[in-house]
Amino acid sequence: MRLQTEKGEITISSDVFTNITGAAATNCYGVKGMAMRSKTDGLVHLLRRESMGKGVKITYHDDSSVSIELHIMVDNGVNLMAVSRSIMSEVRYIVSRTTGAEVRSVDVCIDSMVIG
């Protein structure tokens, strides 16, 4: 993504966006980690810290805004609505503050609950 500022043009790679987004989401209360559904066995897998970007999908728009889709695992017993709202708010704030891009939408997909 390219952003134009008064001092010049900034290019931000997709990896940067996914890492910032994944870190913001996993720092929220109740989130166990990022998730990815395996194509081979169809099971949902908890992603390690270094590959959590696979649980994030970024869509870039022509007006320099982004839409974000997150796939997460949560702790058992948490209020799903409260956790989802917290993630949406935190991700929107952190991504826009860090990158300068407008966040059009944040969609949270809860793929699994983890007991313990």
Side-chain angles (χ1 to χ4, degrees):
M1 170 175 236
R2 295 179 188 274
L3 298 171
Q4 187 66 40
T5 66
E6 64 276 355
K7 294 184 180 184
E9 188 175 84
I10 300 170
T11 303
I12 303 171
S13 75
S14 294
D15 289 340
V16 170
F17 267 101
T18 56
N19 287 333
I20 290 169
T21 304
T26 55
N27 285 334
C28 292
Y29 173 78
V31 177
K32 196 66 159 178
M34 302 305 293
M36 184 180 85
R37 188 170 301 278
S38 172
K39 291 181 182 0
T40 55
D41 57 14
L43 298 175
V44 175
H45 297 279
L46 182 65
L47 298 171
R48 292 189 313 248
R49 192 67 119 165
E50 55 272 0
S51 60
M52 72 178 150
K54 293 179 183 176
V56 178
K57 180 182 175 194
I58 307 283
T59 305
Y60 301 97
H61 303 287
D62 293 334
D63 62 352
S64 296
S65 65
V66 294
S67 295
I68 300 169
E69 181 179 313
L70 301 166
H71 292 268
I72 62 167
M73 287 184 164
V74 296
D75 291 322
N76 190 31
V78 297
N79 183 326
L80 299 180
M81 189 62 101
V83 169
S84 297
R85 283 188 185 140
S86 171
I87 292 167
M88 287 182 219
S89 174
E90 184 73 7
V91 166
R92 181 174 301 229
Y93 173 73
I94 294 293
V95 169
S96 64
R97 188 176 127 247
T98 306
T99 65
E102 178 191 341
V103 179
R104 188 182 287 186
S105 66
V106 178
D107 297 322
V108 178
C109 304
I110 299 173
D111 291 343
S112 180
M113 285 188 164
V114 179
I115 298 172

